[in-house]
Amino acid sequence: MAKTNDIFELIFHEVPASDEPFDPKEVFVVGGTELPISLMGQGFLQLVAQAKVERGFKGSKLFSRILRRPAKSREIMEVLGGKKKDEISWRELAHCLQSADHNNSYLFFIDGCAVRVYWDEIGWYFRTFSIEVPHDWLAGHLVFSRVVF
């Protein structure tokens, strides 16, 4: 097992508290007004369709880590500490992408899936992968989670 500092470089993000309900079906829309989204793969469309409205958000501190070497989803999740720590909420994802650098490719875990997000010149492009897929994520992806090393 690789040492944590061999895999990641840490970057901090703060998501403010909110009493407003957050409905992923209203935010994650191609051509929507809250997030510029150009394309959502079929797997991501299914995730959004199954997503529940989030209520009473207390705020959070997220960390994106630059993947320093290729790694599989299971290895990344193990280093992050498991499902309760490596998955982020829909609200947290939207908040991070509103200010995200369009030159980066992002990896996050939500509702049991690995999702790759990147900018394709007109908006965000979302692709969903099973965490069981045995390919490596390339070095350079930013991985979002709640865990601090």
Side-chain angles (χ1 to χ4, degrees), residues 54-88:
E54 298 172 354
R55 302 183 188 280
F57 187 70
K58 296 179 182 180
S60 65
K61 293 181 181 176
L62 295 181
F63 300 88
S64 61
R65 296 160 175 84
I66 298 172
L67 197 57
R68 291 186 175 175
R69 64 170 176 79
K72 293 178 177 33
S73 292
R74 284 283 182 202
E75 179 185 11
I76 295 168
M77 294 172 75
E78 183 178 311
V79 170
L80 296 176
K83 184 175 180 177
K84 294 291 185 193
K85 296 178 181 177
D86 58 30
E87 288 196 353
I88 65 172

Side-chain angles (χ1 to χ4, degrees), residues 6-119:
D6 283 345
I7 298 176
F8 297 114
E9 176 182 327
L10 195 66
I11 301 169
F12 172 76
H13 305 271
E14 189 161 349
V15 184
S18 175
D19 291 330
E20 295 295 318
F22 182 87
D23 188 349
K25 294 173 192 75
E26 294 176 359
V27 176
F28 292 91
V29 177
V30 173
T33 58
E34 291 196 43
L35 276 177
I37 296 175
S38 64
L39 188 62
M40 297 189 297
Q42 189 62 35
F44 191 76
L45 286 169
Q46 290 172 347
L47 273 184
V48 171
Q50 297 169 4
K52 295 182 174 34
V53 174
E54 298 172 354
R55 302 183 188 280
F57 187 70
K58 296 179 182 180
S60 65
K61 293 181 181 176
L62 295 181
F63 300 88
S64 61
R65 296 160 175 84
I66 298 172
L67 197 57
R68 291 186 175 175
R69 64 170 176 79
K72 293 178 177 33
S73 292
R74 284 283 182 202
E75 179 185 11
I76 295 168
M77 294 172 75
E78 183 178 311
V79 170
L80 296 176
K83 184 175 180 177
K84 294 291 185 193
K85 296 178 181 177
D86 58 30
E87 288 196 353
I88 65 172
S89 73
W90 290 97
R91 182 187 307 261
E92 290 166 327
L93 172 61
H95 179 82
C96 289
L97 290 178
Q98 287 170 344
S99 62
D101 182 346
H102 295 171
N103 294 316
N104 288 323
S105 183
Y106 300 92
L107 172 63
F108 65 93
F109 298 97
I110 194 162
D111 291 342
C113 294
V115 179
R116 179 177 179 232
V117 182
Y118 61 91
W119 186 262

